[in-house]
Amino acid sequence: MSRSTSAGSGGHRREIGVAVIGAGVLGLAVVDSLVRRGVDVVCFDGRVPGSGLSGGLTRTFRHRHDDERHVAMAVDGLAGFREWERRSGRVLVGTEGAVYSGMGPADVKGLALHGVEHRFVEASRQDEVFPGLAPVDGPLLVDPGAGAIRARNTIDALVGWVGDRIVQADIHSVTVPRDGDGVEIQTTEAIYRARHVVIAAGTAVPRLARGVGIDIPLQSRLHVRPHFRIRGYEPGRTRPLPCWVDRAGIWGETVYGSPIGDTGKYVIGLIGAEVDTPFGPDGALPEGSSTLVDAQRIVEYVERALPGLDPEPVGVRVCVMTKLPAGSDALRAWHTDGVTAVAGHNLFKMAPVLGELLADAAQNNELPERLVDAGAGALDAP
Ligand SMILES: Cc1cc2nc3c(=O)[nH]c(=O)nc-3n(C[C@H](O)[C@H](O)[C@H](O)COP(=O)(O)OP(=O)(O)OC[C@H]3O[C@@H](n4cnc5c(N)ncnc54)[C@H](O)[C@@H]3O)c2cc1C
């Protein structure tokens, strides 16, 4: 997998083809793609694979995005998930669909452009698409091809395919050495030189990319997601609840929701510019901050909006989320000679297609057209 150089380096310097930093869903997808192309690749992670931003059991797969390029990526992402399902023999994206409130014709332009099936359902027929939702006063948008991503199953499948390429090591830095011979990676286990480095290290992307002169304005925030029991749930008999995006805010909050596979549980989180607690530049939370406040807002939302759920939470996850200034669906890749970095939010659904595109970048030492926008390397949501 990697070899030590003999040129007077005493075996402490190892040479590799491509180094992927991070064994989250993105890094693992890149490694999987490179392995299938026959590329010499090593994946570094200091923790258990899939325990960073990709942790937990569920994510929403939805097609609708404000930016039509993200709709196109979601379409390709789902095709990629279906291929991963074929290879793993497991369900990775369910068929629960997604329902959105507060959407109008302008919000579905991207869906129409990319031929994604969707429809508006009148409030009087809301039970047909979302049983257990309190009465709404406007139409609901339905994205029937959406569903709940089985996040843990996805990570397990990827680790099953590329586990032998993962080296457990913390990365201290990525730099371009003065001798110009590849990119140097300082790790807890050895010093590596790689032909190309892909930085897919989640919250640590800005720190590691700074070492090669790339400045990434990624903000990390603490986010709370309680989960709730679906009332009267019987496995295999109860109609699954859809994923939920409430942008209308008629119950006083804007939220997302997602079933947790077929566990009979449902997770809710707040969305919007004013939610979640940002970490300061020193990595600390502001004094006195508490995620219990947001958790209580969610409980009260469930009491008002979702009579189909028991409003007493059965558990809670407190997670870190990352966000670029351009918004919650913003995604961007950066490139400099020998190094490609990726950051954004809501990227789980895009992992199969981003894995291929970042593998292209590593092989060709340039960003593929699809990750480039107006020469800035940006693909940001408006
Ligand atoms: C609460 C929550 C809800 C979300 N909801 C959705 C959703 O509904 N739909 C959707 O598509 N996406 C969603 N997302 C976003 C999605 O989960 C992330 O965009 C995606 O998982 C990012 O994966 P990643 O591989 O880039 O990062 P990560 O999973 O964080 O992987 C990075 C890895 O790098 C490792 N690492 C970091 N620093 C170092 C270092 N110095 N040395 C070695 N290893 C290092 C970490 O240990 C980690 O394993 C959500 C995220 C959160 C947190």
Side-chain angles (χ1 to χ4, degrees), residues 21-28 44-55 58-62 65 149 155 169-173 200-205 207-208 223-225 256 258 317 319-322 342-350:
I21 304 178
V25 72
L26 293 189
L28 291 169
F44 297 99
D45 203 304
R47 296 166 64 190
V48 175
S51 58
L53 300 173
S54 308
T58 193
R59 293 290 183 279
T60 298
F61 179 92
R62 63 180 153 86
H65 291 79
I149 300 173
I155 296 293
D170 267 322
I171 307 302
H172 300 299
S173 67
T203 55
V205 169
R207 181 176 70 75
L208 294 174
H223 175 83
V224 65
R225 24 198 263 156
Y256 68 88
S258 177
R317 273 180 63 83
C319 342
V320 177
M321 273 193 167
T322 51
V342 63
H345 180 46
N346 281 326
L347 307 184
F348 209 112
K349 67 176 95 67
M350 320 281 201

Side-chain angles (χ1 to χ4, degrees), residues 30 33-34 37 196 340 353-368:
V30 179
S33 175
L34 290 170
R37 299 174 191 201
H196 200 97
T340 306
V353 61
L354 285 175
E356 294 298 331
L357 291 169
L358 293 165
D360 289 347
Q363 270 199 301
N364 304 327
N365 194 24
E366 64 177 9
L367 280 187

Side-chain angles (χ1 to χ4, degrees), residues 40-304:
D40 168 33
V41 53
V42 176
C43 180
F44 297 99
D45 203 304
R47 296 166 64 190
V48 175
S51 58
L53 300 173
S54 308
L57 295 177
T58 193
R59 293 290 183 279
T60 298
F61 179 92
R62 63 180 153 86
H63 288 99
R64 209 213 71 81
H65 291 79
D66 290 337
D67 186 325
E68 63 83 9
R69 293 167 301 175
H70 292 154
V71 177
M73 260 201 200
V75 168
D76 291 347
L78 187 57
F81 270 104
R82 297 298 178 224
E83 175 59 17
W84 285 357
E85 287 180 335
R86 191 194 59 73
R87 288 168 62 200
S88 68
R90 304 187 75 169
V91 172
L92 301 180
V93 180
T95 52
E96 299 88 356
V99 174
Y100 312 67
S101 74
M103 298 286 168
D107 298 304
V108 297
K109 280 188 182 152
L111 299 181
L113 187 67
H114 293 287
V116 177
E117 188 188 343
H118 64 281
R119 64 184 189 278
F120 284 98
V121 169
E122 288 311 315
S124 58
R125 302 181 64 185
Q126 69 173 72
D127 272 357
E128 292 170 23
V129 293
F130 197 162
L133 177 68
V136 292
D137 57 5
L140 296 171
L141 170 66
V142 180
D143 171 1
I149 300 173
R150 276 53 171 173
R152 175 46 53 190
N153 288 356
T154 304
I155 296 293
D156 287 349
L158 287 162
V159 170
W161 297 326
V162 304
D164 62 339
R165 307 300 175 113
I166 301 173
V167 171
Q168 186 170 16
D170 267 322
I171 307 302
H172 300 299
S173 67
V174 181
T175 51
V176 177
R178 285 206 180 85
D179 63 21
D181 183 15
V183 182
E184 187 161 302
I185 310 158
Q186 305 285 337
T187 85
T188 46
E189 306 308 312
I191 303 160
Y192 287 84
R193 286 283 177 101
R195 182 181 51 72
H196 200 97
V197 177
V198 177
I199 305 176
T203 55
V205 169
R207 181 176 70 75
L208 294 174
R210 212 168 297 130
V212 291
I214 302 175
D215 198 22
I216 299 182
L218 191 70
Q219 190 185 58
S220 290
R221 292 169 163 253
L222 205 60
H223 175 83
V224 65
R225 24 198 263 156
H227 48 272
F228 302 86
R229 218 180 292 287
I230 299 170
R231 289 187 202 270
Y233 183 82
E234 289 180 54
R237 302 189 66 180
T238 308
R239 186 150 59 97
L241 297 187
C243 300
W244 174 229
V245 181
D246 182 357
R247 288 227 311 213
I250 57 168
W251 292 289
E253 302 286 2
T254 50
V255 310
Y256 68 88
S258 177
I260 306 180
D262 44 17
T263 61
K265 294 180 191 131
Y266 199 90
V267 67
I268 300 281
L270 298 172
I271 49 176
E274 299 308 317
V275 301
D276 302 334
T277 315
F279 288 90
D282 59 355
L285 286 177
E287 222 179 307
S289 50
S290 167
T291 52
L292 282 173
V293 176
D294 284 356
Q296 185 55 31
R297 284 169 63 184
I298 293 170
V299 167
E300 288 168 16
Y301 174 89
V302 170
E303 285 168 347
R304 292 191 293 267

